[in-house]
Amino acid sequence: DTGVSQNPRHKITKRGQNVTFRCDPISEHNRLYWYRQTLGQGPEFLTYFQNEAQLEKSRLLSDRFSAERPKGSFSTLEIQRTEQGDSAMYLCASSSDGSSYNSPLHFGNGTRLTVT
Amino acid sequence: AQSVTQPDIHITVSEGASLELRCNYSYGATPYLFWYVQSPGQGLQLLLKYFSGDTLVQGIKGFEAEFKRSQSSFNLRKPSVHWSDAAEYFCAVGLYGGATNKLIFGTGTLLAVQP
């Protein structure tokens, strides 16, 4: 178990640029989640996948955000035309089948995005 | 709407002292409740969880939490705090049903431990 891996750890970008983050889940986990954490707040749910199917998306995920998990393994989160309000820590988590109660989430260390 | 409130933004305790972190939830049915810990630069780690059964739940690292339905609370406790417990602690409620499978987190309590 090598844990959930997120890359890059830090990303600084200028407003209006596009950014893409990658998440590699624990290999046997077929569920993958994205959360966003802003300063002074708890993590907020963005979306989750069961294998390659995106099953739920938060209203926080505006049309500038897109997440994919093309082969049911790693996932990418892309933000187009970044805004300063997108500055946050983006957390990825994975789990095996079942609810997050029965199959606890394993979180990565996050990607910290700063939009200048 | 479902929500989680952690009234204390920041708490400082002395090493060896007892600890209680407060959590109140708003949920229409029996809640699935969690406590997570986040150390600086690290991801979140599950400390303990509760849905049913004994209302006093034991977790990792010597933590426990007590579910009190009448108070809509799920407070986290530790009898003797160690310096390594300094971190941010998040209470969460789980939402499940249909395709929904997510955690709603509180705003967190940052714990500082004095020597």
Side-chain angles (χ1 to χ4, degrees), chain A residues 19-58:
Chain A
V19 294
T20 300
F21 312 138
R22 177 178 170 125
C23 172
D24 288 90
I26 293 171
S27 58
E28 62 268 26
H29 285 178
N30 55 11
R31 293 200 170 194
L32 187 147
Y33 308 78
W34 286 99
Y35 282 78
R36 181 175 71 184
Q37 185 176 17
T38 53
L39 206 59
Q41 300 296 317
E44 298 171 293
F45 172 81
L46 293 178
T47 188
Y48 91 97
F49 293 83
Q50 165 99 16
N51 300 313
E52 65 275 9
Q54 189 173 20
L55 296 188
E56 187 178 6
K57 290 171 59 174
S58 164

Side-chain angles (χ1 to χ4, degrees), chain A residues 9 31 33 35 37 40-45 48 55-56 89 91 98-109, chain B residues 32-34 36 38 41-44 46 49-52 88 90 94 96 98-103 105-108:
Chain A
R9 289 297 306 273
R31 293 200 170 194
Y33 308 78
Y35 282 78
Q37 185 176 17
Q41 300 296 317
E44 298 171 293
F45 172 81
Y48 91 97
L55 296 188
E56 187 178 6
M89 176 76 85
L91 297 169
S99 73
S100 55
Y101 184 83
N102 293 316
S103 303
L105 272 60
H106 295 253
F107 282 87
N109 291 340
Chain B
Y32 294 84
L33 294 163
F34 305 79
Y36 281 83
Q38 186 177 33
Q42 303 294 312
L44 284 82
L46 179 66
K49 62 182 180 180
Y50 174 80
F51 173 62
S52 63
E88 190 154 25
F90 293 95
Y96 310 114
T100 296
N101 181 13
K102 61 187 175 187
L103 299 174
F105 286 89
T107 51

Side-chain angles (χ1 to χ4, degrees), chain B residues 11-90:
Chain B
I11 283 182
T12 300
V13 299
S14 298
E15 191 168 15
S18 64
L19 170 70
E20 182 168 24
L21 302 182
R22 296 185 291 165
C23 172
N24 293 97
Y25 65 88
S26 173
Y27 191 74
T30 302
Y32 294 84
L33 294 163
F34 305 79
W35 275 99
Y36 281 83
V37 60
Q38 186 177 33
S39 299
Q42 303 294 312
L44 284 82
Q45 181 182 22
L46 179 66
L47 286 175
L48 46 79
K49 62 182 180 180
Y50 174 80
F51 173 62
S52 63
D54 191 345
T55 56
L56 186 63
V57 183
Q58 302 298 318
I60 62 171
K61 304 186 180 188
F63 285 93
E64 65 180 26
E66 186 171 14
F67 172 67
K68 292 186 177 179
R69 184 186 299 277
S70 62
Q71 298 177 19
S72 298
S73 70
F74 188 56
N75 293 350
L76 182 71
R77 301 196 294 247
K78 187 168 184 177
S80 177
V81 170
H82 188 262
W83 64 267
S84 61
D85 294 323
E88 190 154 25
Y89 291 80
F90 293 95

